[in-house]
Amino acid sequence: MIPYGRQDISAEDIDAVTQVLQSDWLTQGQAGPRFEQAMAGYCGARNAIAVSNATAALHIACLALDLGPGDILWTVPNTFVASANCALYCGASVDFVDIDPRTYNMSVTTLSEKLAQASTEGRLPKVVIPVHFAGQSCEMTQIRALADRYGFRIIEDASHAVGGEYLGRKIGAAQLSDIVVFSFHPVKIITTGEGGMALTNDPRLGERLAYLRTHGIVRPVQTDPPEADRSNEDRHGPWTYEQIELGLNYRMTDIQAALGASQLGRLDAFVARRRELAKRYDTLLAGLPVTSPWQHPDTNSAWHLYVIRLRRNEIKLSRREVFDALRSAGIGVNVHYIPVHTQPYYQRLGFRAGMFPEAESYYQDAITLPLFSKMTDAEQDTVVSALTKILS
């Protein structure tokens, strides 16, 4: 089986993890801060906060922006459920913005229209989460302009997009948003096993994200207590910590961070190979009754996914039949994503099929083909050969 995604683990990665296992610190040592500093430097952001997974990063990002009961968060239906669930964890409500039919990202036109309507109704979102689907950035300049006009905060869900670029800057620089979130799941561009990260240029947000991932606890600067406090000087020892907010235990271990830092050293090579494979797919699939992913000229995708859309009016098979035939041929295709608003849980919240037609239309046609940095040209040829045979 050729999988749709696969991690790329080197001897150097294994050595980095082994060094941590042989050290005195398996968690909360120096590997975590080193990984954070390296990622912040790579992206050009001031603060990077490593966490246990990207869902955790989304959750504390919402908390750091004071999202709570009575507030509304908007995201897209074409995403994993975590992009919406993070609002519900905070007691806020969720709504969706339909996608652009070319990029499959949040439609700026639809967002603008929905904001104008929400403004008249007094139901503007407090937070908007654009999702950089498949590794391609959303149109962040336009979304930033709308945020400035309507007053919402922005969390970029860049779980697919580490190593990608927008207008010549690395995704993660957080120049046009409050917080950017990455995922390091094994099928993503680089991996820490499980893991995620939140990046921001706001020092206050950076500080808050850091203590929200650690039970809401800070360790204050130690000074000798004033003479008047000598009766309670036990509160001022080097062991002192203070819980200043209700936080969570979302820390990343040093084992994971060491793997992530080692992987980061090969990130550009991973992305370069993915881009090479994506261009090769574009060429090999030309002439088949499929639509290859369109790329906005302002973006340079990290290519986490390569998603085709079947032109079903030109073939006799359903998407399910094509999917099953590819799986039977040893091609580990997948589908990204079932629109969030059609999930049973969200149906109970009042969402219905037909509410976001572009996302639903996209879903009916979409198949994710295998794409990973260790994929060989021969494996890619096998994928295309199998697809060609099935469609013809």
Side-chain angles (χ1 to χ4, degrees), residues 70 72 74 93-95 114-115 117-126:
I72 307 170
W74 290 0
S93 60
V94 176
D95 201 356
K114 192 177 180 83
L115 286 166
Q117 180 66 28
S119 181
T120 65
E121 298 171 353
R123 287 186 53 80
L124 284 167
K126 185 169 187 175

Side-chain angles (χ1 to χ4, degrees), residues 363-384:
Y363 168 66
Q364 294 299 322
D365 304 334
I367 294 182
T368 302
L369 299 182
L371 179 67
F372 47 94
S373 59
K374 291 182 74 172
M375 188 178 193
T376 65
D377 289 359
E379 286 175 320
Q380 190 175 38
D381 290 341
T382 299
V383 172
V384 174

Side-chain angles (χ1 to χ4, degrees), residues 73-247:
L73 178 146
W74 290 0
T75 188
V76 287
N78 182 37
T79 186
F80 187 59
V81 294
S83 307
N85 289 349
C86 58
L88 305 181
Y89 300 153
C90 300
S93 60
V94 176
D95 201 356
F96 299 96
V97 179
D98 213 346
I99 62 171
D100 182 282
R102 297 182 301 172
T103 64
Y104 317 138
N105 283 333
M106 182 177 284
S107 167
V108 171
T109 299
T110 303
L111 175 63
S112 180
E113 293 169 351
K114 192 177 180 83
L115 286 166
Q117 180 66 28
S119 181
T120 65
E121 298 171 353
R123 287 186 53 80
L124 284 167
K126 185 169 187 175
V127 174
V128 171
I129 300 185
V131 178
H132 301 330
F133 179 72
Q136 179 176 204
S137 176
C138 298
E139 296 172 75
M140 293 307 302
T141 300
Q142 294 90 328
I143 294 172
R144 175 76 264 166
L146 290 169
D148 293 340
R149 178 178 177 183
Y150 289 101
F152 59 83
R153 310 297 290 273
I154 301 173
I155 301 170
E156 295 178 65
D157 186 343
S159 295
H160 293 187
V162 62
E165 295 156 8
Y166 176 69
L167 292 174
R169 298 186 68 99
K170 291 293 184 186
I171 294 171
Q175 294 297 307
L176 299 170
S177 63
D178 296 283
I179 301 169
V180 182
V181 168
F182 287 147
S183 170
F184 306 128
H185 185 275
V187 298
K188 299 301 197 306
I189 314 296
I190 63 171
T191 187
T192 58
E194 287 279 1
M197 189 168 282
L199 298 97
T200 182
N201 288 314
D202 184 327
R204 186 191 67 83
L205 284 178
E207 180 182 25
R208 195 171 184 201
L209 288 163
Y211 65 67
L212 282 168
R213 64 143 178 220
T214 312
H215 306 281
I217 284 173
V218 298
R219 293 188 178 274
V221 175
Q222 299 302 320
T223 58
D224 290 333
E227 196 65 34
D229 290 346
R230 290 293 182 185
S231 62
N232 197 27
E233 63 182 9
D234 278 354
R235 287 184 55 84
H236 299 273
W239 58 84
T240 300
Y241 61 87
E242 295 176 348
Q243 182 184 345
I244 60 174
E245 193 168 345
L246 184 62

